[in-house]
Amino acid sequence: LGGVAAPEAFQQRLKNMQVVLHNQDNREHDLLDSDDYYQFQGGLTVAIRALTGKNPHTYFGDNSIPENPRVRHLREEIAKVYRSRVINPKWIEGVMRHGYKGAFEMAATVDYLFAYDATANCVEDYMYQGVADAYLFDSKVQKFIQEKNPWALRDMAERLLEAHQRNLWQSVSAETLEELRAIALQAEGVVENRGF
């Protein structure tokens, strides 16, 4: 038998929701490894906010050890992933061994961080600054990305600028914004010269 469309019933369910919980049963991936996570949790959060005018409580359920499940606020989990992987020099060095794909992974991480913030309001200003410092303002890392994947360099700079334009990244200096604009323009020039 086929299903029956019931958008009003779905809207009513969303209006009654107060909590959005994402459970994860392994630690092989984190919330900033895939767009699936923000699409589900962030998307549901936005839908509830659009219908109720209020943000639901957002949580992350770590069920990687079934006998010892842990639940954290989404903000706490994002901060944990930020510290342990996103700006971790060992992770950055590791992905740099993968050339083009490594630079792509760095850009994807920035995209997912931004998307979680745009949907669930869970990223602090210092995280945007930290990503800019670790990926774009570090001369060795910037040179690597420029050589291996200038598209990723351009995209990261533009995404960080967009975070500021959308008031997600509020506490940022004019010098930082200028430097990001310069990186984006310079990377765009490299992309255009390559003819792709």
Side-chain angles (χ1 to χ4, degrees):
L1 296 174
V4 177
E8 298 83 13
F10 183 59
Q11 284 183 352
Q12 194 55 47
R13 285 281 190 208
L14 289 174
K15 285 180 183 178
N16 291 329
M17 289 181 68
Q18 297 175 12
V19 172
V20 178
L21 169 70
H22 169 76
N23 278 315
Q24 192 169 336
D25 62 3
N26 68 69
R27 296 310 282 173
E28 294 172 21
H29 303 282
D30 62 49
L31 290 179
L32 302 178
D33 271 334
S34 170
D35 59 1
D36 292 342
Y37 303 127
Y38 81 78
Q39 287 176 5
F40 158 71
Q41 191 168 27
L44 198 53
T45 300
V46 167
I48 294 165
R49 187 168 59 239
L51 289 169
T52 67
K54 296 184 282 191
N55 281 315
H57 299 285
T58 52
Y59 295 97
F60 174 82
D62 179 354
N63 294 285
S64 58
I65 304 172
E67 57 276 4
N68 189 23
R70 295 175 184 249
V71 176
R72 286 185 279 282
H73 287 277
L74 177 60
R75 281 182 175 278
E76 292 175 57
E77 183 64 19
I78 292 288
K80 180 176 174 257
V81 171
Y82 168 80
R83 287 188 315 273
S84 63
R85 179 178 69 81
V86 175
I87 60 162
N88 184 329
K90 289 184 180 182
W91 182 79
I92 294 169
E93 287 173 22
V95 294
M96 286 172 67
R97 289 194 297 266
H98 297 280
Y100 175 90
K101 177 68 170 153
F104 171 84
E105 289 299 326
M106 295 166 86
T109 296
V110 174
D111 275 348
Y112 304 156
L113 185 74
F114 167 85
Y116 248 116
D117 200 20
T119 56
N121 303 319
C122 58
V123 176
E124 303 292 338
D125 280 356
Y126 75 85
M127 296 179 191
Y128 288 114
Q129 186 66 54
V131 166
D133 291 342
Y135 296 1
L136 302 177
F137 299 157
D138 179 287
S139 58
K140 178 182 171 190
V141 178
Q142 183 191 103
K143 183 176 186 286
F144 157 77
I145 301 168
Q146 184 75 272
E147 289 175 0
K148 301 299 183 184
N149 189 338
W151 300 269
L153 187 64
R154 176 198 62 199
D155 293 350
M156 282 189 278
E158 289 178 350
R159 183 65 77 211
L160 290 170
L161 289 166
E162 183 181 356
H164 173 67
Q165 290 161 355
R166 292 177 64 172
N167 287 324
L168 300 174
W169 184 11
Q170 297 176 356
S171 177
V172 57
S173 72
E175 294 81 19
T176 295
L177 295 173
E178 271 311 306
E179 197 168 347
L180 289 171
R181 286 186 198 99
I183 290 169
L185 285 171
Q186 196 262 344
E188 181 64 31
V190 171
V191 168
E192 287 179 11
N193 287 337
R194 290 197 181 180
F196 293 103

